[in-house]
Short mmCIF file of all heavy atoms in Angstrom, two decimals:
data_model
loop_
_atom_site.label_atom_id
_atom_site.label_comp_id
_atom_site.label_asym_id
_atom_site.label_seq_id
_atom_site.Cartn_x
_atom_site.Cartn_y
_atom_site.Cartn_z
N VAL W 47 -2.26 13.26 18.08
CA VAL W 47 -2.61 12.05 18.82
C VAL W 47 -1.73 12.01 20.06
O VAL W 47 -0.56 11.67 19.99
CB VAL W 47 -2.33 10.78 17.98
CG1 VAL W 47 -2.82 9.55 18.72
CG2 VAL W 47 -2.98 10.89 16.61
N ILE W 63 -11.67 14.34 4.09
CA ILE W 63 -12.51 15.39 3.56
C ILE W 63 -11.66 16.29 2.68
O ILE W 63 -10.49 16.49 2.92
CB ILE W 63 -13.14 16.22 4.70
CG1 ILE W 63 -14.21 17.14 4.15
CG2 ILE W 63 -12.09 16.98 5.45
CD1 ILE W 63 -15.04 17.78 5.23
N MET W 70 -14.66 11.07 1.40
CA MET W 70 -14.21 9.76 0.96
C MET W 70 -14.23 8.84 2.17
O MET W 70 -13.46 9.02 3.09
CB MET W 70 -12.77 9.85 0.46
CG MET W 70 -12.61 9.75 -1.03
SD MET W 70 -10.87 9.95 -1.46
CE MET W 70 -10.23 8.36 -0.95
N LEU W 81 -8.00 2.82 18.21
CA LEU W 81 -8.04 3.64 17.00
C LEU W 81 -6.66 4.22 16.74
O LEU W 81 -6.09 4.89 17.58
CB LEU W 81 -9.04 4.79 17.19
CG LEU W 81 -10.49 4.40 17.52
CD1 LEU W 81 -11.33 5.64 17.72
CD2 LEU W 81 -11.06 3.52 16.42
N ALA W 82 -6.12 3.93 15.59
CA ALA W 82 -4.83 4.49 15.17
C ALA W 82 -3.73 4.36 16.21
O ALA W 82 -3.06 5.33 16.53
CB ALA W 82 -5.02 5.97 14.80
N GLU W 104 -18.39 4.80 23.16
CA GLU W 104 -17.64 5.08 24.37
C GLU W 104 -16.16 4.88 24.07
O GLU W 104 -15.76 3.83 23.55
CB GLU W 104 -18.10 4.15 25.50
CG GLU W 104 -17.45 4.46 26.83
CD GLU W 104 -17.96 3.54 27.94
OE1 GLU W 104 -19.06 2.94 27.76
OE2 GLU W 104 -17.26 3.39 28.95
N LYS W 151 -4.00 -10.17 -14.45
CA LYS W 151 -3.45 -11.52 -14.51
C LYS W 151 -2.41 -11.72 -13.40
O LYS W 151 -2.38 -12.76 -12.75
CB LYS W 151 -2.79 -11.75 -15.87
CG LYS W 151 -3.29 -13.00 -16.58
CD LYS W 151 -2.74 -13.09 -17.99
CE LYS W 151 -3.86 -13.13 -18.99
NZ LYS W 151 -3.40 -13.33 -20.36
N ILE W 158 -3.61 -16.57 -6.25
CA ILE W 158 -3.68 -18.04 -6.31
C ILE W 158 -2.46 -18.66 -5.62
O ILE W 158 -2.60 -19.58 -4.82
CB ILE W 158 -3.76 -18.52 -7.78
CG1 ILE W 158 -5.10 -18.09 -8.38
CG2 ILE W 158 -3.59 -20.02 -7.87
CD1 ILE W 158 -5.20 -18.32 -9.88
N MET W 196 -7.08 -16.89 -18.75
CA MET W 196 -6.16 -17.79 -18.05
C MET W 196 -6.58 -19.25 -18.23
O MET W 196 -5.74 -20.15 -18.24
CB MET W 196 -6.07 -17.42 -16.57
CG MET W 196 -5.39 -16.09 -16.33
SD MET W 196 -5.38 -15.54 -14.60
CE MET W 196 -3.96 -16.42 -13.96
#
Side-chain angles (χ1 to χ4, degrees):
Chain W
V47 185
I63 190 169
M70 253 178 75
L81 302 178
E104 185 178 340
K151 233 173 239 185
I158 293 171
M196 292 175 83

